[in-house]
């Protein structure tokens, strides 16, 4: 990149701010400041300045930063504020320290785009952030040749276009949780909040095979809801039965809304009767009977059945079900496949069969005792991995379905 005098002076401004904040960095990076003679030489010879190699304490090598990225950060470097070891602020940027459960997962994330924008706000997953390196150095959280001040850390960066776009801390955290959900859903990698720290264990014991994958771009962020946390928790779990229970928790969480939607619709139809009906005692009693019958449906089995019928698209996910469940459904409805042209009642029947089997399977896992009697409808242990593929997609759809619901149906309202 060919720089003009103003840009070169801007680089100097940023480097000096970096040295002022972290004097130890300045001890081995003095050559980064361009002298007047050097600036003149660069301009006259139109040198291509690709970037800056900056040394940070504890690192075995210099870290390279693109020159235009550094220039963009100069004003932020001058306004850095370490709120705590997990959260750093600058004028228009926020940094939340995060980590994946496996070192290999963090490395895999470096191969994929995690950049997304929401109304004047850009979010990205950053590795080797200058701001985080400055904070780590300031906090003395590094160790010579064992733990660097910048390379070990991954952070979620929130970048605001203007100061008017800046969210409150609570709003930021909701946005971050939505972002973490999207990363988990897209990459199948769960990240959690972390902190800047120099660990007591030996870094060189961390081993693992690094692989690349072709991961799709993130979708538009959904408004945060608690189901996202259940989803991310499920992604992190390795045990297939425990993973299943956490995905089940997502569907179970939204099931009261599904029941309420049906109850509201039935009650509206009931109240659409002619005015004269309201003088009939039997009609009045039938309203109470309807209300009581819907209240009775707030049991575990009927709630999960409501989720299957309302919160996600069983047709699109049918082939992800374990083979044993698909076989039972096909036999019962007398069809070889489930498609959008399938009779609506048969689709409802398919939902009810699948939900019942999954409910029974949930009981098998929850009540894993020697005196628990199997019903024969539960899936086998070998099918849990396949079932979890289905549950992940169903949970993701349920979370997005909830986001589309009007406010009067939100869980905070109907409780």
């Amino acid at each position: 990149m060919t720089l003009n005098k103003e840009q070169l002076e801007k680089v100097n401004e940023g480097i000096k701010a970096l040295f002022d904040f972290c004097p130890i960095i300045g001890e081995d990076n003095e050559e980064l400041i361009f002298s007047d003679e050097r600036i003149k030489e660069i301009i006259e010879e139109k040198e291509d300045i690709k970037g800056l190699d900056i040394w940070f304490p504890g690192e075995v090598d210099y870290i390279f930063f693109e020159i235009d990225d550094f220039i963009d950060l100069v004003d932020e470097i001058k306004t850095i504020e370490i709120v705590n070891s997990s959260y750093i602020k600058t004028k228009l940027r926020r940094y939340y320290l995060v980590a994946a459960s496996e070192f290999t997962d963090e490395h895999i994330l470096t191969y994929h785009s995690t950049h997304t924008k929401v109304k004047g706000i850009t979010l990205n997953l950053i590795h080797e952030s200058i701001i985080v390196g400055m904070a780590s150095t300031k906090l003395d959280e590094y160790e010579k040749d064992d733990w660097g001040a910048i390379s070990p850390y991954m952070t979620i960066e929130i970048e605001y276009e203007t100061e008017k776009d800046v969210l409150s801390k609570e709003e930021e955290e909701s946005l971050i949780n939505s972002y973490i959900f999207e990363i988990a859903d897209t990459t199948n990698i769960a990240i959690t909040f972390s902190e800047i720290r120099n660990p007591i264990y030996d870094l060189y014991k961390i081993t693992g095979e690094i692989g690349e994958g072709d991961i799709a771009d993130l979708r538009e962020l959904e408004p945060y809801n608690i189901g996202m946390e259940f989803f991310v928790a499920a992604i992190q779990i390795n045990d297939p039965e425990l993973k299943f229970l956490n995905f089940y928790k997502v569907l179970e969480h939204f099931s009261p809304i599904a029941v309420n939607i049906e109850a509201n619709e039935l009650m509206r139809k009931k109240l659409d009767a002619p005015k004269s009906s309201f003088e009939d005692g039997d009609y009045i009693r039938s309203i109470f009977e309807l209300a009581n019958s819907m209240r009775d449906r707030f049991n575990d089995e009927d709630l999960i059945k409501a989720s299957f019928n309302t919160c996600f698209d069983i047709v699109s996910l049918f082939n992800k079900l374990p083979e044993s469940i698909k076989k039972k459904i096909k036999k019962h409805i007398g069809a070889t496949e489930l498609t959008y042209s399938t009779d609506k009642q048969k689709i409802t029947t398919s939902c009810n069969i699948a939900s019942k089997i999954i409910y029974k399977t949930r009981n098998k896992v929850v009540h894993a005792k020697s005196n628990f009697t199997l019903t024969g409808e539960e899936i086998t242990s070998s099918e849990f991995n396949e079932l979890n593929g289905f549950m992940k997609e169903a949970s993701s759809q349920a979370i997005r379905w909830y986001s589309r619901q009007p406010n009067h149906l939100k869980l905070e309202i109907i409780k």
Side-chain angles (χ1 to χ4, degrees), residues 38-258:
R38 180 71 179 120
I39 290 175
K40 183 179 179 181
E41 180 185 13
I42 291 171
I43 295 172
E44 289 178 351
E45 298 185 9
K46 296 182 179 179
E47 284 189 34
D48 182 14
I49 307 295
K50 291 183 170 58
L52 300 172
D53 286 311
I54 304 178
W55 173 85
F56 280 85
E59 300 292 343
V60 297
D61 203 352
Y62 287 75
I63 308 296
F64 177 81
F65 299 98
E66 298 282 348
I67 195 69
D68 51 349
D69 290 340
F70 182 82
I71 291 173
D72 288 342
L73 272 176
V74 171
D75 290 338
E76 307 309 310
I77 290 172
K78 293 191 297 183
T79 59
I80 184 172
E81 176 189 348
I82 304 172
V83 179
N84 54 52
S85 60
S86 301
Y87 177 55
I88 306 157
K89 295 170 58 176
T90 65
K91 181 182 178 181
L92 291 177
R93 304 196 189 198
R94 304 291 185 267
Y95 296 85
Y96 287 80
L97 273 292
V98 291
S101 57
E102 299 289 339
F103 171 75
T104 51
D105 287 342
E106 290 194 10
H107 194 77
I108 288 169
L109 286 172
T110 64
Y111 289 98
H112 307 295
S113 172
T114 51
H115 176 278
T116 190
K117 295 192 73 172
V118 180
K119 297 178 182 178
I121 304 171
T122 301
L123 292 98
N124 205 0
L125 199 59
I126 303 294
H127 301 263
E128 297 184 345
S129 161
I130 290 178
I131 300 297
V132 173
M134 291 173 64
S136 177
T137 302
K138 191 73 171 180
L139 295 171
D140 294 326
E141 293 289 348
Y142 55 85
E143 185 174 338
K144 183 178 180 180
D145 297 330
D146 282 327
W147 190 259
I150 185 170
S151 61
Y153 301 112
M154 180 170 66
T155 181
I156 294 175
E157 178 191 67
I158 301 178
E159 180 182 355
Y160 296 106
E161 289 184 7
T162 69
E163 289 187 83
K164 292 181 179 179
D165 297 316
V166 175
L167 302 176
S168 68
K169 186 67 161 58
E170 183 178 359
E171 291 170 329
E172 276 185 2
E173 289 176 352
S174 292
L175 184 66
I176 289 292
N177 279 314
S178 294
Y179 181 70
I180 288 174
F181 160 72
E182 291 298 347
I183 289 175
D185 189 27
T186 303
T187 68
N188 215 38
I189 294 174
I191 58 176
T192 55
F193 292 106
S194 184
E195 61 181 350
I196 295 172
R197 64 182 180 87
N198 181 9
I200 58 174
Y201 57 82
D202 184 0
L203 175 62
Y204 298 109
K205 290 181 181 178
I206 300 177
T207 60
E209 187 175 326
I210 307 299
E212 296 185 36
D214 184 17
I215 303 298
D217 292 336
L218 297 183
R219 284 177 276 190
E220 183 177 346
L221 296 188
E222 299 287 354
Y224 167 74
N225 63 70
I226 191 66
M228 294 177 177
E229 294 190 20
F230 299 154
F231 184 96
V232 174
I235 291 292
Q236 297 178 75
I237 297 172
N238 291 323
D239 182 273
E241 292 189 0
L242 296 180
K243 182 185 287 286
F244 162 73
L245 285 182
N246 276 268
F247 281 134
Y248 187 98
K249 193 174 181 180
V250 176
L251 300 182
E252 189 176 48
H253 181 70
F254 296 120
S255 57
I257 300 177

Side-chain angles (χ1 to χ4, degrees), residues 392-408:
K392 174 183 181 291
E393 297 297 327
S395 298
S396 171
Q397 287 190 18
I399 288 168
R400 299 175 195 283
W401 169 85
Y402 174 78
S403 296
R404 297 193 302 272
Q405 300 311 303
N407 284 334
H408 71 275

